[in-house]
Amino acid sequence: MESNAGTTEPRSNLTASDGAQVTALESLHFTDEIHRLISAPVTDSSTSFMALLELPPPQAVELLHSSDSPKLLATSSPNVEDFKGSFHFPSNTGLIERDARFSGEANNSNGKRNSPEPKDLSANPEKAVKSEPAETESSQPLVSDPALEKRSIKRKDRENKVKGSTKKSKTAANESSEDAEKLPYVHVRARRGQATDSHSLAERARREKINARMKLLQELVPGCNKISGTALVLDEIINHAQSLQQQVEFLSMRLAAVNPRIDVNLDSILTSESGSLMDSNLPSLVMPVMWPEVQGNGHRQQYLHQWHVDALHQPVWGREEVCNNYITPENSLLTYDSSTNSETLHANQLKMEL
Amino acid sequence: MCPHTSLKQQFLKKWIMGLQRCSFSKKNMSILERKKTIKLSADIAMASARNGTTRWSRALISNASKDGSDNRLVQQILGPDSNTPAATTTNKAGTRRASVCKKIVKRSHQIRRRRRKCVAAAPVKAVTSSISEHLVRKRRQVLKTLIPGGEFMDEICLIEETLDYITSLRVQVDVMRSVASACFSQS
């Protein structure tokens, strides 16, 4: 790939002592990973995004940035030492050199250059971003992704920190930090013309963290991409979360209408199943068991569905009144209807609606 | 969603196990009680699938086990779990911290209000930003009520927990919907 060739060449000129020797190695690894990533089964944008979500939020954001943003800024110098948990922020000289180089670079090569850092040497997937040790602890179980994304994400996190300073200041107040993930300090560069006292820097780091996570939330909730402004985005997020909670309520009510003996059968089916449960295996196995046990409760389900559709359309913030409203009509429908004919009809309608 | 298959499987397994444990008492329950049991078991299964790593899951489990009537159910579903005592202690510490924080926040609000009155000719940008801050703050309050255990979280944690909570809600809805459609697909 010509872009890779283009990237390796400037990288060899970088000042980092450790980086130069692994540059060629990195580029090779990088092409492999890119191929793997491209050939990975990705059905649509939402699923690939879900893969992203299993990463800790800041890293995922950075991956998004690396794919979206047209203009990538300087990366940190590749430091090989202290691989297990640490990031190394770029030294001043490395940054300056990269500044000079970046202005002339194409976007793709920028992105590609940023990703190959010497991360493939570590066996364990890196979980901690140095500046944000806390949340990585909490989001560790979510991490289960290919190494490339992690690396580019960590890289991107460093880039984010550095972003403000590139092309602007050589008057950086803070040096790049060394050390392990346990470091409590957040090292941020001061932008040119901005205050460099610790409070405003900490405030800015905090704000950047919040903005990164908000962007991730925006990607997650459908339809938030085009909205600008935190308040409206939060509105959408709240609506989405509320609608999901209401869906859980409705689905549990729907399941409650079915005979409870189903659960035992499902369990036995599950234990025998080895593959993915979300395939059509589940309905086909459940079908011969369910059929004699399903009761006729078509009326209730129809009513439920109406409520389901109506409630979802309303941007209602208070959940309580909605719940109260739909519980009281349910009480009037508590009598079980054992007519199988109506049941089949309603089941068909439900299926089509879904 | 391919990447979430393991999570779905985990959730489904725990949910079915939990339902089995409390299914013996289901013969005479009304539909509302059944629905409550189903929802509770689904929520707890979802929360325990996180293994106590996220705050909302711990808060959800501790809230469910605080209530007297649901306590037995929760204990049944969870089995000999060590999460619950830890969750309650963190919540207590959280409440104490939260009350202290609330006092501080209230005081700072008063000070800010006083300061805002003093600033007579405030630039437009400051005024609009304060309005937007007000709006955002209101929405953050609503978000805190939505997420279980959200009142004790600061902004950063809140957004992270929202992310996790929304993904797990989605998984829950997907699994429940497929189970429900499997139940009623025979027609």
Side-chain angles (χ1 to χ4, degrees):
Chain A
M1 292 177 38
E2 63 276 357
S3 51
N4 260 337
T7 55
T8 50
E9 181 204 0
R11 281 180 69 74
S12 55
N13 298 336
L14 292 176
T15 52
S17 54
D18 304 308
Q21 69 225 17
V22 291
T23 302
L25 198 68
E26 294 161 15
S27 61
L28 280 176
H29 285 277
F30 182 66
T31 45
D32 290 343
E33 284 144 11
I34 282 287
H35 284 309
R36 241 182 287 141
L37 200 61
I38 291 171
S39 55
V42 172
T43 52
D44 53 340
S45 60
S46 64
T47 56
S48 58
F49 180 65
M50 286 308 159
L52 216 58
L53 280 181
E54 295 188 333
L55 301 164
Q59 303 182 357
V61 163
E62 286 134 13
L63 177 62
L64 288 172
H65 284 172
S66 66
S67 54
D68 294 346
S69 66
K71 197 85 204 309
L72 285 180
L73 306 173
T75 53
S76 51
S77 61
N79 289 321
V80 187
E81 78 271 3
D82 246 340
F83 208 78
K84 281 286 164 65
S86 66
F87 264 115
H88 297 279
F89 278 96
S91 63
N92 249 340
T93 50
L95 250 191
I96 292 168
E97 283 200 351
R98 237 176 261 106
D99 278 346
R101 225 161 269 123
F102 260 71
S103 45
E105 281 286 337
N107 298 339
N108 283 340
S109 55
N110 268 349
K112 285 190 185 146
R113 173 200 302 186
N114 293 339
S115 334
E117 287 265 351
K119 299 303 179 190
D120 41 3
L121 301 182
S122 81
N124 310 329
E126 284 219 37
K127 300 200 172 93
V129 174
K130 195 164 35 161
S131 61
E132 300 153 1
E135 53 262 5
T136 49
E137 313 299 322
S138 65
S139 44
Q140 257 186 1
L142 301 178
V143 172
S144 58
D145 255 355
L148 170 67
E149 299 182 35
K150 280 188 192 283
R151 283 178 225 155
S152 49
I153 282 173
K154 282 187 256 185
R155 192 114 333 140
K156 202 43 178 93
D157 186 56
R158 274 188 279 177
E159 288 168 32
N160 267 348
K161 293 288 186 245
V162 164
K163 211 187 242 186
S165 66
T166 53
K167 310 198 183 260
K168 296 193 183 182
S169 77
K170 328 261 168 138
T171 65
N174 301 327
E175 257 314 307
S176 56
S177 67
E178 291 298 314
D179 252 279
E181 55 239 1
K182 306 293 193 282
L183 192 67
Y185 302 110
V186 172
H187 286 255
V188 179
R189 285 198 185 279
R191 294 190 203 183
R192 195 188 171 122
Q194 290 195 357
T196 59
D197 59 327
S198 59
H199 289 295
S200 55
L201 279 175
E203 179 68 30
R204 190 165 352 118
R206 184 174 155 272
R207 250 181 282 138
E208 278 171 15
K209 264 197 231 176
I210 290 180
N211 286 337
R213 282 156 186 70
M214 282 295 300
K215 282 205 194 83
L216 202 57
L217 258 181
Q218 266 187 298
E219 309 275 341
L220 174 61
V221 176
C224 269
N225 271 329
K226 304 158 189 155
I227 302 180
S228 61
T230 323
L232 296 173
V233 166
L234 280 175
D235 257 350
E236 280 300 316
I237 293 168
I238 287 172
N239 280 337
H240 190 64
Q242 277 177 335
S243 76
L244 281 175
Q245 282 174 340
Q246 283 168 357
Q247 279 183 40
V248 168
E249 294 256 351
F250 290 132
L251 281 170
S252 64
M253 174 60 95
R254 192 170 171 217
L255 284 173
V258 182
N259 193 298
R261 252 191 296 160
I262 286 167
D263 313 318
V264 181
N265 299 319
L266 272 180
D267 186 41
S268 58
I269 289 162
L270 280 176
T271 50
S272 61
E273 280 285 328
S274 59
S276 88
L277 297 167
M278 295 307 123
D279 289 341
S280 52
N281 292 337
L282 183 59
S284 61
L285 284 169
V286 158
M287 261 167 19
V289 174
M290 302 291 188
W291 179 236
E293 297 165 349
V294 170
Q295 300 189 10
N297 44 14
H299 298 304
R300 199 173 298 105
Q301 286 165 29
Q302 252 200 335
Y303 199 91
L304 250 182
H305 245 281
Q306 283 174 13
W307 270 106
H308 180 73
V309 170
D310 290 343
L312 282 182
H313 287 326
Q314 300 167 17
V316 176
W317 280 12
R319 252 182 72 227
E320 290 75 20
E321 57 250 35
V322 179
C323 286
N324 288 338
N325 282 344
Y326 96 82
I327 282 180
T328 42
E330 285 300 327
N331 284 331
S332 62
L333 297 174
L334 269 178
T335 58
Y336 280 77
D337 190 8
S338 55
S339 61
T340 50
N341 293 335
S342 59
E343 170 202 350
T344 54
L345 183 65
H346 293 310
N348 275 332
Q349 288 174 356
L350 282 170
K351 258 204 299 184
M352 303 219 303
E353 272 177 299
L354 271 183
Chain B
M1 288 186 257
C2 329
H4 283 279
T5 315
S6 61
L7 188 62
K8 284 182 184 175
Q9 285 176 354
Q10 220 183 353
F11 164 63
L12 189 55
K13 229 182 284 182
K14 293 199 174 180
W15 185 29
I16 299 292
M17 277 180 2
L19 278 175
Q20 259 195 314
R21 290 214 188 105
C22 41
S23 64
F24 60 86
S25 59
K26 261 190 175 181
K27 303 279 169 73
N28 304 326
M29 283 160 66
S30 72
I31 186 169
L32 282 181
E33 287 178 25
R34 287 238 298 265
K35 168 234 167 192
K36 221 172 44 156
T37 320
I38 288 180
K39 177 164 186 292
L40 184 68
S41 56
D43 286 343
I44 292 182
M46 199 66 239
S48 67
R50 286 295 178 201
N51 283 329
T53 48
T54 51
R55 290 194 202 180
W56 67 265
S57 57
R58 295 189 293 236
L60 200 140
I61 291 178
S62 71
N63 282 340
S65 50
K66 241 191 286 176
D67 214 4
S69 57
D70 299 332
N71 208 355
R72 276 180 295 109
L73 226 55
V74 173
Q75 294 307 320
Q76 282 174 1
I77 293 175
L78 285 180
D81 211 67
S82 59
N83 268 344
T84 33
T88 47
T89 51
T90 47
N91 259 358
K92 279 186 204 146
T95 44
R96 238 182 293 128
R97 224 188 307 131
S99 56
V100 169
C101 291
K102 277 183 197 152
K103 286 189 203 151
I104 296 176
V105 168
K106 224 185 286 179
R107 230 179 289 150
S108 63
H109 277 314
Q110 288 169 0
I111 293 174
R112 207 186 296 175
R113 238 177 284 139
R114 249 178 275 145
R115 229 182 263 160
R116 232 178 267 164
K117 286 182 199 158
C118 293
V119 177
V124 181
K125 188 181 172 193
V127 169
T128 53
S129 70
S130 67
I131 290 175
S132 68
E133 276 169 19
H134 182 62
L135 288 176
V136 170
R137 212 177 305 131
K138 261 208 297 194
R139 279 151 182 83
R140 280 220 179 91
Q141 283 303 313
V142 176
L143 199 57
K144 283 186 180 180
T145 59
L146 272 186
I147 313 261
E151 303 93 34
F152 312 122
M153 301 179 202
D154 56 342
E155 292 182 8
I156 304 176
C157 282
L158 187 66
I159 298 182
E160 285 175 15
E161 299 289 322
T162 318
L163 268 172
D164 198 57
Y165 186 60
I166 287 184
T167 44
S168 47
L169 269 181
R170 271 205 197 153
V171 165
Q172 200 174 353
V173 164
D174 276 344
V175 170
M176 289 175 85
R177 189 177 287 161
S178 57
V179 167
S181 67
C183 291
F184 297 114
S185 64
Q186 183 60 280
S187 56

